[in-house]
Amino acid sequence: VLHGPRRCGKSSFLLNLSRLLPDDLFPIYVDLQSQAMTSSEGDFCYGLVRAATRDLRSRGVEAPAAVRTSFQTNPYPALEDWLDALRPILADRRLLFCLDEFEKLGEARERGNVGPALFDELRHLIQHRAELGFVFCGAQTLEELGPQWTNYFINARPVEILYLEREEARELLLEPDPSFNL
């Protein structure tokens, strides 16, 4: 769980992860501010697949086709079937789903758009899919969100990101890392 104050660079960090990670780990950026991601459990599962397909394609990997309607009728089996079809394509590589603004899932639950089954599924994927990893990114910690979050993501490790100090910002601007392609 990557957490920190608004406008401190969390999303920018996630969007630049592909430059920082080894070639066998594919970060998949998922923006949960999009209503298309949180209007139903089917939309969430299809949104994960859609984001993975997009980001894999940008790295030259063709993912299996997915049909949106199958996610509306049976979201979790459709997602797991898609992941099963993706596994041989990935071979020894892994996906890292980066869920930005993850608190939006809690808001969707409060509105009744998604139920506890979504959180059960995420926990299941985290625990039983070795080819997947997850980064939850937002302004709040799991503890701040309440026991329903800490119970589902009991093994999550918090990482705080803060604003740069004045000297850190100065160094970054005046002496950027030459190996980081801006």
Side-chain angles (χ1 to χ4, degrees):
V1 178
L2 180 65
H3 65 93
R6 300 253 176 245
R7 310 296 312 156
C8 73
K10 297 180 303 293
S11 297
S12 295
F13 174 77
L14 293 180
L15 289 166
N16 283 286
L17 265 178
S18 62
R19 299 175 185 196
L20 305 171
L21 296 174
D23 290 339
D24 63 344
L25 187 57
F26 299 125
I28 308 299
Y29 181 76
V30 181
D31 183 1
L32 293 176
Q33 289 186 83
S34 168
Q35 291 299 306
M37 288 296 304
T38 59
S39 56
S40 73
E41 293 172 29
D43 288 335
F44 177 80
C45 292
Y46 182 73
L48 289 181
V49 168
R50 199 169 131 200
T53 300
R54 176 201 64 221
D55 289 351
L56 287 170
R57 185 175 297 125
S58 75
R59 303 274 301 264
V61 177
E62 283 302 317
V67 179
R68 181 186 289 268
T69 54
S70 63
F71 289 84
Q72 298 309 317
T73 54
N74 291 305
Y76 305 118
L79 175 60
E80 294 205 28
D81 289 347
W82 186 85
L83 289 169
D84 288 342
L86 180 64
R87 189 176 286 147
I89 296 168
L90 289 177
D92 292 332
R93 300 172 292 190
R94 298 181 66 211
L95 299 182
L96 179 63
F97 283 103
C98 301
L99 305 180
D100 200 5
E101 303 286 341
F102 77 96
E103 301 98 333
K104 296 292 183 185
L105 290 176
E107 292 173 19
R109 185 174 178 184
E110 289 171 11
R111 288 191 308 270
N113 293 4
V114 302
L118 175 64
F119 294 86
D120 287 331
E121 181 68 12
L122 283 171
R123 185 173 180 181
H124 168 77
L125 294 174
I126 290 166
Q127 291 179 335
H128 300 290
R129 290 278 186 166
E131 74 275 17
L132 303 180
F134 288 84
V135 173
F136 297 90
C137 183
Q140 295 178 286
T141 65
L142 293 177
E143 289 76 21
E144 290 170 335
L145 291 169
Q148 70 276 16
W149 287 87
T150 53
N151 291 341
Y152 279 109
F153 305 110
I154 195 162
N155 295 328
R157 284 180 264 150
V159 176
E160 187 175 29
I161 186 171
L162 298 171
Y163 298 109
L164 293 175
E165 296 294 328
R166 183 176 183 85
E167 273 308 305
E168 293 169 324
R170 180 178 163 73
E171 180 182 342
L172 181 65
L173 291 171
L174 296 177
E175 300 173 37
D177 183 344
S179 65
F180 191 76
N181 181 7
L182 294 175

